Amino acid sequence: EAGVTQFPSHSVIEKGQTVTLRCDPISGHDNLYWYRRVMGKEIKFLLHFVKESKQDESGMPNNRFLAERTGGTYSTLKVQPAELEDSGVYFCASSTLGETQYFGPGTRLLVL
Amino acid sequence: AQSVSQHNHHVILSEAASLELGCNYSYGGTVNLFWYVQYPGQHLQLLLKYFSGDPLVKGIKGFEAEFIKSKFSFNLRKPSVQWSDTAEYFCAGNDMRFGAGTRLTVKP
């Protein structure tokens, strides 16, 4: 069974540009989560999808971040325009209801 | 808001030493708690979880954790660490909010 995959693995962009991160959950997992970790700090929850609906988006930093999960399969997280403080590792995880989350490898984003 | 906290930021041990990493939660109601580990260059993976029942939970690789309701704690333990346990350890609660993480370095 394929695990959670994320694309790209790394992204280096300039301040003001747009970046779109993608997460493919494990097939059949209705729950999908996005997290961010800034260098050396805690893993911060961003949002939680159940199928295509946003269950909890209380962790989204501001309106420069837009997450979608059309069709309840893969999800994208767009940052527009990117700022320096958006740099970090963006993790995605998926699960079935009430069960263990499986994490992807993360996308390392560097905004210069 | 539900939250968990980890107070040890970096722990350095010699091989064969015993390990205990602290995790405290600050919410009521249904309490589900998790410990995750991230080995260098690898994904976050689940070590163990507590949903209900026996408060002493056994996980992979010889780890265990004890849920103590009166202390709002869910500390991770291992009787004898190995060099391969060098990693970062995260506690998480119901809402999958994570603690700050504890970096464990085991000296050979």
Side-chain angles (χ1 to χ4, degrees):
Chain A
E1 179 183 274
V4 177
T5 57
Q6 292 186 245
F7 182 82
S9 58
H10 294 77
S11 180
V12 182
I13 61 172
E14 290 189 332
K15 176 182 171 181
Q17 290 185 322
T18 297
V19 62
T20 300
L21 314 181
R22 173 170 168 146
C23 169
D24 286 78
I26 293 172
S27 177
H29 281 193
D30 287 341
N31 293 274
L32 189 150
Y33 305 80
W34 281 100
Y35 297 88
R36 175 174 71 177
R37 190 176 193 202
V38 175
M39 177 74 79
K41 298 196 175 178
E42 74 271 21
I43 297 174
K44 191 173 187 307
F45 168 85
L46 296 178
L47 87 159
H48 170 205
F49 282 101
V50 177
K51 297 185 180 178
E52 66 272 14
S53 299
K54 291 176 186 174
Q55 180 79 8
D56 180 354
E57 53 182 329
S58 60
M60 294 286 265
N62 52 58
N63 59 10
R64 295 186 294 103
F65 288 74
L66 175 64
E68 296 179 322
R69 193 183 181 197
T70 307
T73 54
Y74 70 90
S75 174
T76 57
L77 179 65
K78 181 191 285 188
V79 185
Q80 179 181 31
E83 297 289 344
L84 300 179
E85 64 265 25
D86 301 332
S87 295
V89 182
Y90 289 78
F91 292 101
C92 172
S94 73
S95 72
T96 55
L97 180 63
E99 294 298 321
T100 302
Q101 291 192 4
Y102 293 88
F103 281 80
T107 294
R108 293 184 185 281
L109 173 65
L110 179 60
V111 182
L112 299 175
Chain B
Q2 300 180 345
S3 73
V4 293
S5 59
Q6 295 177 245
H7 304 296
N8 312 108
H9 298 296
H10 190 188
V11 173
I12 303 172
L13 296 173
S14 298
E15 276 196 314
S18 64
L19 170 71
E20 181 160 3
L21 301 182
C23 172
N24 289 93
Y25 66 95
S26 59
Y27 55 93
T30 301
V31 178
N32 298 331
L33 293 159
F34 307 81
W35 274 99
Y36 284 84
V37 61
Q38 187 171 27
Y39 296 102
Q42 296 188 27
H43 302 191
L44 272 162
Q45 58 184 284
L46 183 70
L47 266 182
L48 48 81
K49 60 186 177 185
Y50 170 80
F51 279 4
S52 64
D54 189 343
L56 185 62
V57 179
K58 304 269 187 203
I60 60 171
K61 306 189 181 190
F63 286 91
E64 65 178 31
E66 186 173 10
F67 172 64
I68 303 179
K69 191 174 180 179
S70 61
K71 294 184 178 180
F72 294 88
S73 69
F74 188 58
N75 292 357
L76 181 71
R77 302 195 294 243
K78 186 170 183 178
S80 175
V81 294
Q82 301 172 313
W83 175 79
S84 58
D85 293 323
T86 294
E88 199 153 12
Y89 294 80
F90 297 91
C91 183
N94 285 27
D95 55 358
M96 294 315 298
R97 264 63 169 182
F98 282 76
T102 298
R103 186 177 303 277
L104 172 66
T105 301
V106 180
K107 295 180 178 178

